[in-house]
Amino acid sequence: MRFFRLVLFFSALVFSDGSNAQTFLGLSANFGNQMRFTPGSVGLKTPISISGSIILNGQYKMKNNWVLQYSIGLGSLAYNFKIVSMDTLAAPEASVFLDYTTLYGSFNGLVGREISIQKKKIIIGIGAGASYYLSLFAGTSYGISQANSNSLKRVFYSEMNGAGSKLIGFGKISTQMRLNRLFSVGLEYSYHFSPALEGFYEFSHTKAPSSGTISLYQREFSVVLLVKVSKR
């Protein structure tokens, strides 16, 4: 409940009436999310994952071209990892697992400076916030089996635990450019300080034992498109 009270508080700030306040609605395409394997393994790869979010953004222009922003977002936490089997039963094969079953809501505040480059207004800023995670399932398991002597033998198994109810802080840097009276585009990077999901992995039938833990951090680049919805 504390998270939703904070969201309501920031919403009031974003949408409060002000002569220099503007409100934007937007979409973001997010690239990244870092998976850590401890210990690392040559059988585990981390291709780039792609996800998206809906954004509500409020901007307040202050003196000397300083800008204050508040944002609220709803999105999906995506992860993507590639398994290259290391078993002694067959030649190596690759399998890719994708997951979009963890949702999040986020809010953040940002302070930036507006500058002009070739008649284009650009905002460069830094900020911080928090994300609240909720998984659709308590956990997700992945397995790979190989046919051997008319039977199936498991060669890889992994589990990722659901996020439950987590609130995790993050830092953020942002660059936004005003295209015209209505549209703006931006490039952002967010860095969450704690893992949103955790789990473990285990390879079987290998020359040497190979198992460990998995941690998924939401650390991603975002391409943002914003459209002005306020009347001012």
Side-chain angles (χ1 to χ4, degrees), residues 172-176 186-190 220-224:
K172 175 182 175 180
I173 56 175
S174 174
T175 300
Q176 298 171 14
L187 179 63
E188 301 178 345
Y189 179 71
S190 60
E220 56 193 9
F221 287 95
S222 299
V223 179
V224 181

Side-chain angles (χ1 to χ4, degrees), residues 8-20:
L8 290 174
F9 172 73
F10 280 109
S11 297
L13 290 176
V14 170
F15 300 111
S16 60
D17 185 31
S19 60
N20 294 321

Side-chain angles (χ1 to χ4, degrees), residues 191-206:
Y191 184 100
H192 285 72
F193 302 113
S194 301
L197 300 175
E198 296 178 288
F200 71 89
Y201 72 89
E202 181 180 41
F203 287 93
S204 304
H205 302 284
T206 57

Side-chain angles (χ1 to χ4, degrees), residues 120 178-184:
K120 292 292 185 181
R178 181 70 63 87
L179 297 178
N180 52 41
R181 187 176 62 86
L182 291 179
F183 293 97
S184 297

Side-chain angles (χ1 to χ4, degrees), residues 94-178:
S95 302
V96 177
F97 296 110
L98 305 172
D99 192 280
Y100 291 87
T101 61
T102 299
L103 307 178
Y104 68 89
S106 67
F107 66 90
N108 69 85
L110 180 145
V111 176
R113 189 78 182 270
E114 184 180 80
I115 61 176
S116 296
I117 299 179
Q118 296 182 349
K119 298 183 179 180
K120 292 292 185 181
K121 293 183 178 180
I122 298 175
I123 298 173
I124 301 174
I126 185 170
S131 295
Y132 180 86
Y133 298 91
L134 181 64
S135 294
L136 300 180
F137 305 104
T140 307
S141 62
Y142 308 94
I144 301 174
S145 298
Q146 289 277 7
N148 182 262
S149 301
N150 298 321
S151 65
L152 287 176
K153 295 186 180 294
R154 179 188 289 172
V155 297
F156 175 80
Y157 183 76
S158 174
E159 287 187 5
M160 293 293 288
N161 299 320
S165 299
K166 277 188 175 181
L167 186 63
I168 298 175
F170 67 90
K172 175 182 175 180
I173 56 175
S174 174
T175 300
Q176 298 171 14
M177 181 173 68
R178 181 70 63 87

Side-chain angles (χ1 to χ4, degrees), residues 53-71:
S53 62
I54 301 172
I55 302 169
L56 221 47
N57 178 289
Q59 298 183 7
Y60 188 87
K61 190 170 182 180
M62 300 180 292
K63 294 180 179 180
N64 299 319
N65 292 323
W66 287 97
V67 177
L68 179 65
Q69 291 188 5
Y70 298 97
S71 295

Side-chain angles (χ1 to χ4, degrees), residues 32-37 39-49 78-86 92-99 142-144 155-158 160 201-203 210 214 216:
N33 295 337
Q34 182 181 2
M35 300 189 76
R36 289 186 178 179
F37 305 104
S41 172
V42 295
L44 295 169
K45 312 294 181 182
T46 55
I48 293 176
S49 61
Y79 64 87
N80 175 5
F81 65 104
K82 181 178 179 181
I83 309 303
V84 181
S85 60
M86 303 188 302
E93 294 184 359
S95 302
V96 177
F97 296 110
L98 305 172
D99 192 280
Y142 308 94
I144 301 174
V155 297
F156 175 80
Y157 183 76
S158 174
M160 293 293 288
Y201 72 89
E202 181 180 41
F203 287 93
S210 182
I214 304 173
L216 174 65

